[in-house]
């Protein structure tokens, strides 16, 4: 699915008892380390869309993410509002983000999420395809954790909205999100939903 051109991926298949927790990769590296510890303890797998500048400053985090069995994707170089960029600027942001992922873990992969917008535009899609990304990854669950509403609201918003096949948007650089993570994972388990990577979630999709 990721290797074939098409519209934004908003959800995975609803016939599988799994969801993808996806994280904007930026902020305090210690919070990322905490998230990796929490996911390891629960056996959960997640996807991190790394901001290139953050990954370039912390390449070992990228290697730790992949070594733990998680997906690492590209969230542009500097997290600009992509809907306001020209095609040339957007392409540069995506390419530099891809280069940062490659330098950290050896390959840019197929996972890309635009910054500053939940959905791509024709210009963003064109820029992504120029760099090698055939699909942009969006989401259907957004607890707005980046606004720091508190861990309990992040947890309840996520669990009230999530369904089989959901793609959840979360942010590593926020303490409330990390504090909410064990409760989110426990809530998913209680509903029989596994936390898997984007690659795993889409594996059953033609």
């Amino acid at each position: 699915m990721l290797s074939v051109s098409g519209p934004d991926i908003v959800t995975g298949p609803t016939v599988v008892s799994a969801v993808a927790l996806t994280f904007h990769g930026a902020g305090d590296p210690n919070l990322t380390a905490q998230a990796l510890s929490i996911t390891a303890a629960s056996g959960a797998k997640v996807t991190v869309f790394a901001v290139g500048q953050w990954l370039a400053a912390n390449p070992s985090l990228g290697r730790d993410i992949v070594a733990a069995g998680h997906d690492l994707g590209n969230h542009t170089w500097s997290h600009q509002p992509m809907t306001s960029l020209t095609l040339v600027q957007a392409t540069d942001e995506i390419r530099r983000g891809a280069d940062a992922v490659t330098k950290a873990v050896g390959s840019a992969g197929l996972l890309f999420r635009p910054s500053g917008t939940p959905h791509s535009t024709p210009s963003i899609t064109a820029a992504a395809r120029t760099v090698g990304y055939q699909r942009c990854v969006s989401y259907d669950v957004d607890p707005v954790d980046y606004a720091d509403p508190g861990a309990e609201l992040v947890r309840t918003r996520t669990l009230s909205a999530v369904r089989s096949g959901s793609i959840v948007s979360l942010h590593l650089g926020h303490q409330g999100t990390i504090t909410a993570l064990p409760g989110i994972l426990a809530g998913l388990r209680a509903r029989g939903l596994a936390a898997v990577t984007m690659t795993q979630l889409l594996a059953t999709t033609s």
Side-chain angles (χ1 to χ4, degrees):
M1 184 179 191
L2 287 166
S3 61
V4 179
S5 296
D8 291 357
I9 299 171
V10 179
T11 68
T14 59
V15 295
V16 297
S17 297
V19 303
L21 301 180
T22 68
F23 290 86
H24 161 123
D28 185 351
N30 290 323
L31 294 179
T32 298
Q34 291 177 41
L36 292 176
S37 179
I38 292 165
T39 53
S42 68
K45 301 301 179 185
V46 301
T47 298
V48 176
F49 287 95
V51 175
Q53 289 178 332
W54 175 78
L55 188 59
N58 303 281
S60 63
L61 284 181
R63 292 190 286 272
D64 290 345
I65 288 164
V66 171
H70 307 298
D71 277 350
L72 184 67
N74 175 3
H75 197 39
T76 76
W77 171 248
S78 61
H79 204 265
Q80 299 294 313
M82 292 198 71
T83 54
S84 67
L85 302 183
T86 67
L87 178 60
V88 170
Q89 290 170 329
T91 302
D92 184 64
E93 275 287 311
I94 299 168
R95 187 181 312 266
R96 294 178 72 189
D99 289 346
V101 176
T102 299
K103 287 177 182 177
V105 299
S107 171
L110 297 174
L111 293 164
F112 168 69
R113 171 172 287 163
S115 57
T117 177
H119 303 293
S120 67
T121 63
S123 180
I124 292 170
T125 298
R129 289 177 182 165
T130 296
V131 179
Y133 299 103
Q134 300 304 313
R135 306 288 290 270
C136 297
V137 180
S138 185
Y139 45 85
D140 65 311
V141 177
D142 181 8
V144 196
D145 62 321
Y146 55 84
D148 296 317
E152 181 60 14
L153 272 179
V154 174
R155 183 188 70 83
T156 57
R157 287 174 179 175
T158 300
L159 293 176
S160 66
V162 77
R163 302 289 185 270
S164 294
S166 281
I167 300 172
V168 184
S169 172
L170 295 165
H171 292 70
L172 284 176
H174 295 258
Q175 182 64 63
T177 300
I178 307 307
T179 302
L181 186 54
I184 290 171
L185 293 172
L188 293 176
R189 286 195 302 272
R191 292 167 56 178
L193 295 172
V196 301
T197 65
M198 281 296 308
T199 301
Q200 292 169 328
L201 185 68
L202 299 177
T204 59
T205 305
S206 59

